[in-house]
Amino acid sequence: GAGVSQSPSNKVTEKGKDVELRCDPISGHTALYWYRQSLGQGLEFLIYFQGNSAPDKSGLPSDRFSAERTGGSVSTLTIQRTQQEDSAVYLCASSEINRNTNEKLFFGSGTQLSVL
Amino acid sequence: AQTVTQSQPEMSVQEAETVTLSCTYDTSENNYYLFWYKQPPSRQMILVIRQEAYKQQNATENRFSVNFQKAAKSFSLKISDSQLGDTAMYFCAFMKHPGAGSYQLTFGKGTKLSVIP
């Protein structure tokens, strides 16, 4: 596709339920990132994928959070047993990995997660 | 660990005027990148401008320019000839050089800019 696509755009769930958020990166981008943006805050790094492996998952806040990437393309962020403090916008980004452009991230429009 | 501070939660500017957004950061790294991102109501983060720390020359992109003061760890964004479409949240961000094995961006909390007709 032309840009990074995320679905759903908005998700409302009940406390204790599991949710899955999807990210479809720009075709050919080998790097993929998940960030979380809580109300009134900047973006908080969650995890970084290079291909299908995650060399940096230092930002995942608890073991309720997990992510996977398959085929070097689509990624899914899963939050188990959601809590109200998980309410936030979850943003995905992708980038090429080469000498000249590896630090240029392209972001999707995010998923607004609301936990009631 | 790196920190990024944006001390201006909100700012406003008259259309066609110039505005400067402030950003300071703290790091022990010598080689890194600095960025300004724009986030309109659509939520999509859009890269405005980037600066490589080893370059002394300030980056410019059309109406956008930065004042990078490495010793002072300051990285301000100047928007000239402000337009209504510039209304958005602006985030300053830091990335260690990717050679360090991480592509993690550290963001400030943002400045909400309103351009007034």
Short mmCIF file of all heavy atoms in Angstrom, two decimals, chain A residues 41 53 66:
data_model
loop_
_atom_site.label_atom_id
_atom_site.label_comp_id
_atom_site.label_asym_id
_atom_site.label_seq_id
_atom_site.Cartn_x
_atom_site.Cartn_y
_atom_site.Cartn_z
N GLN A 41 0.33 12.96 26.43
CA GLN A 41 1.73 12.55 26.55
C GLN A 41 2.36 12.40 25.17
O GLN A 41 1.68 12.33 24.15
CB GLN A 41 1.81 11.21 27.28
CG GLN A 41 1.23 11.21 28.67
CD GLN A 41 1.99 12.09 29.61
OE1 GLN A 41 3.22 12.04 29.67
NE2 GLN A 41 1.30 12.93 30.35
N SER A 53 11.96 -10.82 13.58
CA SER A 53 12.49 -10.90 14.94
C SER A 53 12.43 -9.54 15.62
O SER A 53 12.41 -8.51 14.95
CB SER A 53 13.93 -11.42 14.92
OG SER A 53 14.77 -10.52 14.23
N SER A 66 2.13 -8.36 24.05
CA SER A 66 2.99 -9.15 23.18
C SER A 66 2.78 -8.71 21.74
O SER A 66 1.75 -8.09 21.42
CB SER A 66 2.71 -10.65 23.33
OG SER A 66 1.39 -10.94 22.91
#
